[in-house]
Structures are given as structure tokens and as C-alpha cells.
Amino acid sequence: MCGIVGYAGEVQAAPVLLSGLEKLEYRGYDSAGMAIYDGEAIRVAKAKGRLQVLRELTSDGALIPGVIGIGHTRWATHGAPSDINSHPQVSDSGKFAVVHNGIIENYLQLKEKLMKKGVAFVSETDTEVVAQLLEYYYKGDIVDAVIQVLRRVEGSYALGVLCEDAPDQIVAVRKDSPLIVGLGNGENFIASDVPAILSRTRDIYRLNDNEIVILKKNSVQVLNMDKEPVEKEVSHIDWDVSAAEKGGYEHFMAKEIMEQPKAVRDTVSPRLRGGRVVFDEISLTPEQIRAFRKIYIVACGSAYHVGVVAKYVLEQTTRIPVEVDVASEFRYRQPILGADTLVLVISQSGETADTLAALREAKRLGAYTLSIVNVVGSTIANESDDVIYTWAGPEIAVATTKAYSTQLAVVYLLTLYLADLLGTLTPQQYAGYIEELTALPEKMEAILNNRAIIQYLASKFFNVRDVFFIGRNLDYAMSLEGSLKLKEISYIHSDAYAAGELKHGTISLVEDGTLVVALATQKRLFDKMMSNVREVKTRGAVVLGVTTSSQRQIEKEADYVFYIPDCCPMMLPSLSVIPLQLFAYYVSSMKGCDIDKPRNLAKSVTVE
Ligand code: AGP
């Protein structure tokens, strides 16, 4: 949920840290800070507010000289956003400075013990406990002190530590929160994510839990908790810098919406060979697949909405019973599953705390876990029995779009893969679906080429107070995603309803001028949807219909219509989601909202 970065090299550290933090602001941006060793002592500069405040405070880093330092951009968990609660947090004597991403769950007990021993705390944060504990256990060896602390703290962390007694090194470690090491020439880095260091190096180590790094300008040593050296493989990042930049678009979200056809193509193509779906990356065997009696899908937010689509698609095609649950509910309801259950875990970041916890619960109960993840080497990916990566590339905007679409694409691939092994599709049906899947990117491009229509519709509705999204079956699943997209970036209240459910209460809210977005792409339910449209129209609603180009009769009922190309019913969500994303984007843009960094949100929710 926060972004950390560290630098040890030969140039001034502050500008490098500031530039790295800028690329990590999507992980949290309510305060920021740096700690740099200036040759005599560790100097700390930190402030509430966006990174720009820290830039102004330090004159872009000029006021805080030194060639080694750590930086942090925060999304508050313990302690409201404030100067004193910003990171780095320092120990009593100022000997240790710490930046932290994650949560120390037992920080209160540890804090009380230290206070009884006379340690004075200044902040409300859990992270300060780490700084104070380091000082408490420090006997001259930083790594020993770090190991002592790690043995006592519970929770999740990616930590960067600077100590005045060893001013040429940064010590870093992670558990359940992401951390990478950047390997430069005469300089080395730690960072929460790749974009922070891309402008200076493309070679990285991906750290695993409880691996301790001793980072100097000319050396990087990785140890385990027994202080034994750990061999690490260098990964080379082949994203170009623009892939993590806006590429000329006004917002990352706009760029990522437009990148969807390519992202889906990049995700699907490597898994189609000779007209068949192939998953070289999974170890799941046909025997295991045939032994599954149930599929459980767990995720959060938009990834959960992909799971709702997946339930319909998997059940219709493989005839395996599917349950789908939000991860934060799944883990507390004693789910009924075991070795005969496949648990599908969907997550863009691969670091969502609720989803990670649900994954661990599923494994504890003996289920086979397969994750669909966008961030390579992320915690959920590493801990699943199998992982299928979406190749969407870095998704920076808080509101997911291309990762969502590539998750849908993997769901279709997996559905066809399972159906093929279970024999629930004829060869003709299977071949037809492969063709439809291959044709999706082009149809997505056709919709994107018509985006001006959505922009026009947004201009008519960007001032509305409430919006209802309604649909049936797969269109209900899309209503969920359309509603969330609009809410999270335009701050307009909206709700998603199974269209048949509206009359059981909520229709009482419909009055003159209420906007209802009616998703009516599923041909076999089209007439039912038209009667739902009539229901809300008679109560004064204004209806924006979304349907396929072959269902023109909608124009008799809806006030406005956006058409998407036809395709097989189960893949229509990949097409209908695009106008919903664009509608939310344009409405938010016309309202002047902060589209890429909506208030109260962060890109990766690594707290429960
Ligand atoms: C999506 O637009 C939201 N930002 C949010 O719901 C997100 O999908 C959710 O937090 C799950 O994140 P994950 O996919 O990284 O696990």
C-alpha cells in the first residue's frame, strides 16, 4: 500500500529517490519522506501531502545532500496522514531510520513493552516500533538486530533500514509486501516496484519472503534468516520506460484503456498453438482436473467481478459447480472445500492482503490453488500451486482496465482448456470459441474507435447524482464492474442490480431523470431486459442501453444506445466493459476528478 525506494551510489541520493517515489505514488500518496546520510548523520525530511510538498520542502532534494538514502510515499494505515506519522520513522537516538510498506499486527504489544523500558515514541505508527526495536536489539551488527526484530514482529513488511554506524549500506527485507533490488553500475537500489528504478537500471533481483539484503553502491549481498548467503537470479526488465509512463495520454487510465486490445492479444496469443489452448506454465494434470468436483473463485473489487463472469462462463461450459466470493468474506465463513476443489485466485497486483489471506486459507484446507496475476513474482503468484500471468504490462491507474480485460481473457482460455479435457465441448464448438477469442482484440479496437459517442453521452450525464446499472446473467456481472468504475473515479453514487431484482425494492428510488444503464447484450434475455427497461422508464428514468449491433429494437425502448460488435455470448463481457470504462473515464474527466489517483484509494490494497 506504500512505496519505498532506496539508493546507494555516487550521485546525490535525494533527486534519485524523489524520481523513484514519483513512479510509486500510485501505491499511496498521503505523505512522503526521505532519510539521507550526509557524511555526519542521518538527515530526515518528510511531510504530509503529495510528493510535491516534499520536493518544495527540500528544494528538489538540494537541501538534503548525501549519496545514500531511503524514501517513502505513504497510504496511511496506522496513524492518520501527518508530518510526524510520515516515513521514514527514526529510533530514539536517531541512529536508525526505517521505511516500511505493510502492517506490523502486534505493534501495540511491542510498543507497550518498549515504553515500559523507557523508550519514548513520537508517532502513532506501527513502523516506529520497528525503528525503536532495532535500536533496542542493536549490539553493533545491524543484520543481527534486524533478525532479532523480525523474530518478534508479526504481520507484513517490506523494510528499508539506514543506520548511522554503517552509513555505506542499506539493509532491506520483505515478508508479504513486494520488494525488488535494482542492480546498477556503481549504484544499487531497493524499490517496491519496477517503475521506480527503470530509468537507471533494468536488472533486478526479486526478493522472496525473509531474504535480507545488504546493499552498498558496489555490492549486493542477500542472506537468509540464518545469515547464510542466498543465490539470486538476475531478472532483466524489458518494459521500455514509456510502458510505465503515460505515453502521451492525459491519464494512465486513458492509456491503459487504449492498450486493452494489445494486452489481450499479448495474453492470449502465447497460449494458442495449433488451434488449441496450451498452458505450459501450469503443473495441473488432466487427472487432477477430472478429479475436481468444485471450483471456488476468490478475489476483491474488479477482480471479483471477473470472478462473477467466470462463474457463469465456467458453469455453462464445463458443468463444474462454481462458487465465487469476495476474499474478505471467504476467509471467515468456513468454506467447504478440500482436495477435490480448484480455488481460482484473481489479482492484478498479486499483493492484495485479503486475497492473499484467502489463498492461504484455501491451501490450509487442502485445495489446489491457481492464481491469475499481472505482477510477475508477486506474493500471490509465488504462493499459489500454479499461476497464469496476464501480460497486461504495468497498470498504474488505480482503476483497473487492461488487467481486468486480460483476466477475462485468461478465464476464457482456462474455460476452454478445462472443457476440452472434460469433453464438455464438441470439436466444432471448441474451434468456434478459439476463433471468437482470437477475434476479440479487433472488435475491442472497433469499439475504441467509436469512443467519441461515449464521450458525447458522458457530456449529457456527468452531473447526475445517482446511476443504476442493471443487467441479467453476464450482463449483471458487467453491471457490477460498470458501477464500480463510475463510483471509484467520478465519486458519483451508483449501484448495480440484477435487472429482475429491481422490482423487489430498489425501483422505489427511480424518479424523473434517474439514469439507468441497461446492459442487454445477452440475446436470450433481451426481451426480459426490455420489460425491465419499460419498468424504469414508466417511473421517469432516462435509459442508456448497451447492446449488440444486431439488437436494434432496443431503440424503441431506450433513450440512448451504445452498440458493441456481436460475438459469442460468453465473451461479450470483454466488449461491453469498454463503453463502461470509457463512460466512467469521460464523466470523471468532465467532473475534473483525479482520475489516476482517486481520493481514499490506492492501487494495491495490501492491508486488511
Ligand atoms: C479496481 O478498479 C479497483 N481499483 C479495485 O477494486 C481492485 O480491483 C481491487 O482492489 C483488487 O486489486 P487486485 O486485483 O490487485 O487484487
Side-chain angles (χ1 to χ4, degrees):
M1 190 67 81
C2 303
I4 66 177
V5 64
Y7 174 79
E10 291 164 350
V11 304
Q12 288 302 299
V16 177
L17 296 176
L18 288 166
S19 158
L21 290 174
E22 210 160 87
K23 301 290 186 296
L24 297 179
E25 268 205 300
Y26 71 89
R27 302 178 59 82
Y29 34 80
D30 60 43
S31 57
M34 296 185 286
I36 293 176
Y37 183 76
D38 69 356
E40 286 168 13
I42 292 175
R43 307 293 178 201
V44 176
K46 57 185 188 175
K48 180 183 175 184
R50 288 292 174 84
L51 190 61
Q52 186 53 33
V53 175
L54 182 64
R55 280 189 177 282
E56 287 158 10
L57 181 68
T58 62
S59 298
D60 280 327
L63 299 181
I64 183 164
V67 294
I68 183 168
I70 50 179
H72 186 272
T73 181
R74 185 174 184 237
W75 193 74
T77 54
H78 291 73
S82 69
D83 294 355
I84 198 65
N85 286 337
S86 309
H87 299 203
Q89 288 291 320
V90 296
S91 61
D92 241 353
S93 67
K95 187 188 289 292
F96 287 93
V98 175
V99 288
H100 169 221
N101 173 27
I103 279 197
I104 304 302
E105 296 185 350
N106 62 336
Y107 83 101
L108 278 177
Q109 302 96 298
L110 295 168
K111 186 169 181 173
E112 279 154 18
K113 278 184 187 165
L114 287 169
M115 289 172 77
K116 283 184 186 138
K117 295 175 189 297
V119 175
F121 282 81
V122 295
S123 82
E124 305 159 291
T125 67
D126 54 339
T127 306
E128 186 185 357
V129 171
V130 175
Q132 303 292 14
L133 279 173
L134 283 168
E135 184 149 305
Y136 181 76
Y137 287 111
Y138 180 63
K139 301 283 183 290
D141 182 316
I142 303 172
V143 175
D144 288 342
V146 166
I147 291 170
Q148 288 292 337
V149 171
L150 298 185
R151 289 200 170 119
R152 286 161 177 78
V153 298
E154 293 162 17
S156 60
Y157 46 80
L159 293 169
V161 178
L162 207 49
C163 173
E164 259 173 13
D165 290 358
D168 65 339
Q169 67 182 41
I170 294 168
V171 176
V173 63
R174 62 150 289 181
K175 174 179 168 291
D176 298 341
S177 289
L179 192 66
I180 58 168
V181 172
L183 305 164
N185 183 7
E187 57 183 24
N188 291 304
F189 310 79
I190 58 167
S192 299
D193 198 357
V194 166
I197 51 126
L198 257 190
S199 63
R200 300 189 73 91
T201 180
R202 297 174 176 281
D203 293 326
I204 67 165
Y205 288 152
R206 294 185 193 286
L207 290 182
N208 296 314
D209 282 358
N210 298 319
E211 288 180 344
I212 299 165
V213 180
I214 302 168
L215 185 127
K216 298 180 181 178
K217 70 177 183 179
N218 285 318
S219 70
V220 174
Q221 207 186 356
V222 182
L223 306 172
N224 61 21
M225 291 287 277
D226 299 322
K227 294 180 76 171
E228 296 158 344
V230 174
E231 274 307 303
K232 296 299 288 180
E233 205 177 295
V234 178
S235 301
H236 182 77
I237 300 298
D238 50 15
W239 301 337
D240 51 35
V241 177
S242 65
E245 296 299 331
K246 292 182 193 167
Y249 289 92
E250 190 181 353
H251 301 102
F252 278 114
M253 186 175 177
K255 172 172 172 280
E256 290 154 8
I257 287 173
M258 297 303 287
E259 286 177 337
Q260 291 184 108
K262 178 182 180 308
V264 167
R265 204 173 279 122
D266 291 350
T267 298
V268 170
S269 307
R271 283 118 181 187
L272 293 182
R273 211 175 298 146
R276 308 199 67 73
V277 176
V278 290
F279 280 122
D280 298 334
E281 64 261 59
I282 64 174
S283 54
L284 201 53
T285 65
E287 295 68 35
Q288 285 173 301
I289 287 169
R290 295 188 183 101
F292 288 137
R293 290 291 165 271
K294 184 177 190 180
I295 297 175
Y296 239 112
I297 305 172
V298 286
C300 300
S302 290
Y304 164 71
H305 298 156
V306 169
V308 179
V309 170
K311 170 181 169 62
Y312 288 112
V313 167
L314 281 164
E315 285 190 335
Q316 283 166 16
T317 313
T318 67
R319 306 312 296 158
I320 300 178
V322 179
E323 280 208 48
V324 57
D325 215 343
V326 289
S328 53
E329 289 298 309
F330 169 83
R331 50 190 294 222
Y332 297 113
R333 65 184 187 89
Q334 287 82 40
I336 301 166
L337 51 83
D340 67 348
T341 312
L342 169 64
V343 173
L344 208 45
V345 180
I346 306 173
S347 175
Q348 186 284 130
S349 62
E351 302 296 346
T352 300
D354 288 324
T355 309
L356 176 59
L359 165 66
R360 289 173 174 168
E361 175 67 0
K363 290 182 75 169
R364 187 184 67 80
L365 294 170
Y368 194 94
T369 57
L370 190 161
S371 61
I372 299 174
V373 176
N374 193 44
V375 177
V376 173
S378 56
T379 307
I380 288 172
N382 286 345
E383 295 196 12
S384 303
D385 295 312
D386 268 327
V387 57
I388 299 173
Y389 284 116
T390 50
W391 300 120
E395 186 177 71
I396 309 298
V398 165
T400 184
T401 50
K402 62 176 183 174
Y404 174 93
S405 289
T406 54
Q407 289 164 358
L408 279 184
V410 170
V411 163
Y412 303 140
L413 284 165
L414 185 62
T415 298
L416 296 177
Y417 184 77
L418 297 178
D420 182 34
L421 283 168
L422 297 170
T424 52
L425 283 178
T426 65
Q428 293 74 16
Q429 288 172 319
Y430 182 83
Y433 280 129
I434 297 286
E435 213 172 299
E436 293 266 17
L437 187 51
T438 313
L440 273 184
E442 201 175 325
K443 293 179 177 177
M444 296 167 84
E445 271 153 6
I447 297 169
L448 291 168
N449 292 338
N450 276 335
R451 58 188 180 279
I453 300 172
I454 297 290
Q455 191 168 22
Y456 163 71
L457 293 170
S459 70
K460 301 186 76 60
F461 297 117
F462 73 95
N463 273 324
V464 295
R465 190 170 46 85
D466 295 293
V467 184
F468 290 101
F469 289 77
I470 64 173
R472 288 170 176 262
N473 198 277
L474 285 169
D475 283 331
Y476 167 57
M478 298 321 294
S479 300
L480 293 167
E481 180 59 10
S483 174
L484 177 62
K485 283 280 116 16
L486 183 67
K487 276 184 280 203
E488 67 176 326
I489 64 173
S490 74
Y491 316 143
I492 291 175
H493 173 259
S494 93
D495 266 324
Y497 272 88
E501 193 57 15
L502 212 55
K503 56 186 176 296
H504 298 288
T506 306
I507 201 165
S508 66
L509 294 178
V510 176
E511 52 196 19
D512 275 353
T514 299
L515 175 59
V516 175
V517 180
L519 290 148
T521 70
Q522 298 296 310
K523 213 178 284 302
R524 66 188 176 91
L525 295 166
F526 182 80
D527 292 342
K528 289 279 185 207
M529 274 306 295
M530 289 309 103
S531 61
N532 295 135
V533 168
R534 284 190 288 274
E535 275 167 21
V536 294
K537 287 281 296 166
T538 51
R539 286 152 178 91
V542 173
V543 175
L544 164 54
V546 177
T547 188
T548 56
S549 42
S550 60
Q551 300 185 112
R552 300 271 164 182
Q553 60 272 41
I554 193 170
E555 288 170 17
K556 293 195 209 88
E557 309 295 349
D559 300 287
Y560 303 90
V561 182
F562 185 84
Y563 291 107
I564 61 174
D566 273 296
C567 79
C568 60
M570 89 169 185
M571 295 183 192
L572 280 168
S574 293
L575 302 181
S576 61
V577 72
I578 295 180
L580 302 179
Q581 295 165 344
L582 289 168
F583 184 74
Y585 175 79
Y586 287 126
V587 165
S588 178
S589 175
M590 290 167 192
K591 286 191 68 181
C593 297
D594 190 343
I595 291 174
D596 286 336
K597 298 188 185 96
R599 66 186 183 200
N600 306 339
L601 294 177
K603 183 59 183 172
S604 176
V605 185
T606 53
V607 292
E608 294 183 16

